[in-house]
Amino acid sequence: MAKKSVGDLKGDDLKGKRVFVRVDLNVPLDEHQKITDDTRIRAAVPTIKYLIEHGAKVILCSHLGRPKGVTPKYSLKPLVPRVSELLGVDVEMADDCIGEEVETKVAALPDGGVLLLENVRFHKEEEKNDPEFCKKLASLADLYVNDAFGTAHRAHASTEGVTKFLKPAVAGFLMQKYYSFYDWKKYAICCIFLDLLFSILYHSEECPPSSMQELDYLVGAVGNPTRPFAAIVGGSKVSTKIGVIESLLGKVDLLLLGGGMIFTFYKAQGYSVGSSLVEEDKLELAISLLEKAKSKGVSLLLPSDVVVADKFAADANSMIANMGSWPFGDAMNLQPHGVVVAMDRVVPASSIADGWMGLDIGPDSIKTFSESLDAAKTIIWNGPMGVFEFEKFAAGTDAIAKKLADLSANGVTTIIGGGDSVAAVEKAGLADKMSHISTGGGASLELLEGKPLPGVLALDDA
């Protein structure tokens, strides 16, 4: 069902009114508290400017990071200069998101003024969606606007609970672009499509007509993808990607798995994985996913070799663990990698030596994965192949990024979804080579899984 938008509010609806705007300003900061990527701020600009131009008193609410109580490094204060610059107005900053000091600053706001509240997650009640905390947030304003798609999958106080005490509750322009094309009964098409839509909006301050033309292309390219359709899923845990994998198994022709999750699949099939990350309670699930892929005719590939290390660190000793012809190899060859260590030996295929852990896919896997993608016409990538933050274990992730960039140049549709995947292609300097980049984070994952978003459902129906 369509939701009411901030664009539906005019004149007296906004003039002089206090508007509580939930935005997503969860931007990366360097060690000097300088913004390294301001795209989330820029994505919020159209809605905020609209409110300013209509004489509203704008109260911005956001989180930053995952603080445990008041944590100075997660303060929103470093964002004020850039927000002010993009909006063309001086943005006031509050020291909290509730309380007398905040109420005083809100009361002093002129028409068209903007106040940025301090990190809402400094209060544990935010994530608990505590009713009393919701009331305190709601008391600051006359109406509510949610333009934080990246947090729409959370039923938190500032994204869902506050709407019970503050009306009207409407969507901002960024949020609107999702649900206006969204039919909650047609997840099979929209789950991926909406993720891509966000990528367009997220990388521009406005949504020009040309973007609307591109929407028609996306409906065809993803809702009815040019085949073969391939997906690459990585990350550390199977449990965080269960829904994504199950959803993709109903859509793709080829599924490549990498990252720490592969060791749960290895162990489920009888392989010892040393000290590698394994979710013991997900072994049966891993087997069921393999069986589901087979029953649906999806080609599911696991790495044939991995880079193992003696500790989780950038300076770890490392080797190549060759699994043979996975999963039926009869020997695992360990070869020195990156540094010279005295362990050049062959061990049984059923074991990675105790004290060693897998941190990246190996060169044979890179070759196999790359070759398997050559025939694909549409590719979606969610999750890194290894611990790419450590240079020694970034080869697999970098190789996939470079492969997708090359395929994009040859007309293949390449979609990068998920924070770590986006960070990986940006780290490799290849973000602009991909067809679409999505930074919707958890909301994008839940859309891929076909789940409704509390932050959207809580808004007023049109």
Side-chain angles (χ1 to χ4, degrees):
M1 180 176 290
K3 296 292 181 178
K4 187 172 290 186
S5 161
V6 66
D8 297 323
L9 305 178
K10 312 287 185 182
D12 293 341
D13 296 327
L14 296 174
K15 178 68 174 176
K17 297 295 179 64
R18 301 167 300 163
V19 184
F20 189 101
V21 187
R22 182 53 162 98
V23 288
D24 184 3
L25 305 183
N26 187 28
V27 297
L29 303 173
D30 64 18
E31 63 273 19
H32 303 295
Q33 295 291 286
K34 300 294 184 182
I35 299 169
T36 59
D37 184 349
D38 68 354
T39 52
R40 294 194 178 202
I41 300 176
R42 290 188 287 109
V45 167
T47 291
I48 302 171
K49 279 190 172 181
Y50 179 86
L51 293 169
I52 292 172
E53 291 165 0
H54 284 77
K57 300 177 180 182
V58 183
I59 305 163
L60 300 179
C61 174
S62 180
H63 75 284
L64 179 65
R66 297 179 178 177
K68 300 298 182 184
V70 177
T71 312
K73 73 173 183 177
Y74 292 125
S75 172
L76 293 176
K77 291 177 181 177
L79 280 56
V80 172
R82 184 55 176 156
V83 176
S84 297
E85 180 182 1
L86 288 171
L87 294 177
V89 301
D90 290 331
V91 175
E92 290 287 325
M93 180 74 203
D95 291 331
D96 202 342
C97 61
I98 57 173
E100 291 185 7
E101 183 263 352
V102 176
E103 293 169 2
T104 299
K105 284 186 175 291
V106 169
L109 272 178
D111 292 357
V114 180
L115 174 67
L116 176 60
L117 303 180
E118 184 54 283
N119 194 330
V120 70
R121 288 190 184 173
F122 281 177
H123 293 264
K124 64 180 183 297
E125 293 87 354
E126 158 67 2
E127 294 180 83
K128 292 182 178 180
N129 202 2
D130 179 78
E132 290 305 313
F133 184 67
C134 294
K135 289 179 182 178
K136 291 178 181 178
L137 291 176
S139 70
L140 299 174
D142 301 305
L143 59 108
Y144 174 81
V145 175
N146 190 345
D147 210 29
F149 172 73
T151 62
H153 62 306
R154 305 291 191 189
H156 289 174
S158 66
T159 62
E160 193 268 346
V162 70
T163 66
K164 296 178 173 67
F165 308 100
L166 193 57
K167 298 292 182 181
V170 304
F173 293 125
L174 182 61
M175 186 77 79
Q176 179 191 15
K177 297 302 178 182
Y178 279 89
Y179 70 70
S180 63
F181 287 90
Y182 200 94
D183 181 340
W184 295 97
K185 297 180 181 178
K186 297 181 179 178
Y187 281 120
I189 294 177
C190 292
C191 286
I192 297 178
F193 164 66
L194 292 175
D195 188 39
L196 304 184
L197 171 56
F198 186 77
S199 72
I200 298 174
L201 302 175
Y202 200 76
H203 283 80
S204 63
E205 292 188 19
E206 306 286 345
C207 184
S210 60
S211 291
M212 301 308 294
Q213 295 171 5
E214 191 165 1
L215 295 179
D216 294 333
Y217 160 75
L218 288 174
V219 170
V222 182
N224 183 26
T226 302
R227 295 185 181 277
F229 183 16
I232 308 163
V233 179
S236 60
K237 295 182 178 180
V238 179
S239 59
T240 62
K241 300 293 176 75
I242 294 171
V244 173
I245 294 173
E246 290 183 331
S247 177
L248 289 172
L249 284 175
K251 300 177 175 71
V252 302
D253 305 296
L254 171 67
L255 178 60
L256 310 181
L257 298 183
M261 72 168 70
I262 64 175
F263 300 105
T264 298
F265 285 89
Y266 283 156
K267 186 162 186 179
Q269 298 194 60
Y271 283 72
S272 176
V273 295
S275 300
S276 302
L277 178 64
V278 171
E279 291 181 277
E280 298 288 348
D281 62 337
K282 296 295 185 291
L283 298 179
E284 290 185 8
L285 171 66
I287 292 296
S288 70
L289 290 174
L290 294 174
E291 292 174 347
K292 184 174 182 179
K294 184 177 181 180
S295 69
K296 288 183 172 292
V298 175
S299 178
L300 189 154
L301 299 183
L302 285 160
S304 58
D305 61 341
V306 295
V307 180
V308 295
D310 60 357
K311 61 180 177 179
F312 188 86
D315 62 349
N317 292 321
S318 57
M319 298 177 171
I320 306 297
N322 192 313
M323 303 303 292
S325 300
W326 174 262
F328 305 112
D330 57 3
M332 179 190 296
N333 302 307
L334 292 181
Q335 305 166 6
H337 176 70
V339 296
V340 177
V341 291
M343 289 191 70
D344 187 11
R345 60 191 177 89
V346 176
V347 300
S350 60
S351 67
I352 290 177
D354 289 342
W356 291 78
M357 64 185 71
L359 296 183
D360 194 12
I361 63 173
D364 287 346
S365 300
I366 290 172
K367 183 174 184 293
T368 301
F369 280 16
S370 294
E371 291 175 350
S372 71
L373 293 170
D374 282 335
K377 297 301 181 183
T378 305
I379 304 171
I380 185 167
W381 180 20
N382 182 281
M385 297 294 96
V387 187
F388 73 98
E389 296 88 347
F390 298 156
E391 198 61 38
K392 186 180 292 185
F393 309 110
T397 300
D398 289 347
I400 292 298
K402 291 173 184 175
K403 180 66 177 182
L404 296 194
D406 291 341
L407 290 172
S408 294
N410 291 324
V412 176
T413 299
T414 55
I415 304 147
I416 314 301
D420 286 341
S421 301
V422 174
V425 296
E426 289 179 343
K427 178 175 176 285
L430 298 171
D432 62 342
K433 305 296 183 183
M434 307 301 173
S435 303
H436 301 287
I437 299 286
S438 170
T439 45
S444 296
L445 287 180
E446 297 208 3
L447 280 172
L448 282 171
E449 295 176 34
K451 294 181 179 179
L453 306 179
V456 175
L457 294 178
L459 301 177
D460 296 348
D461 295 333

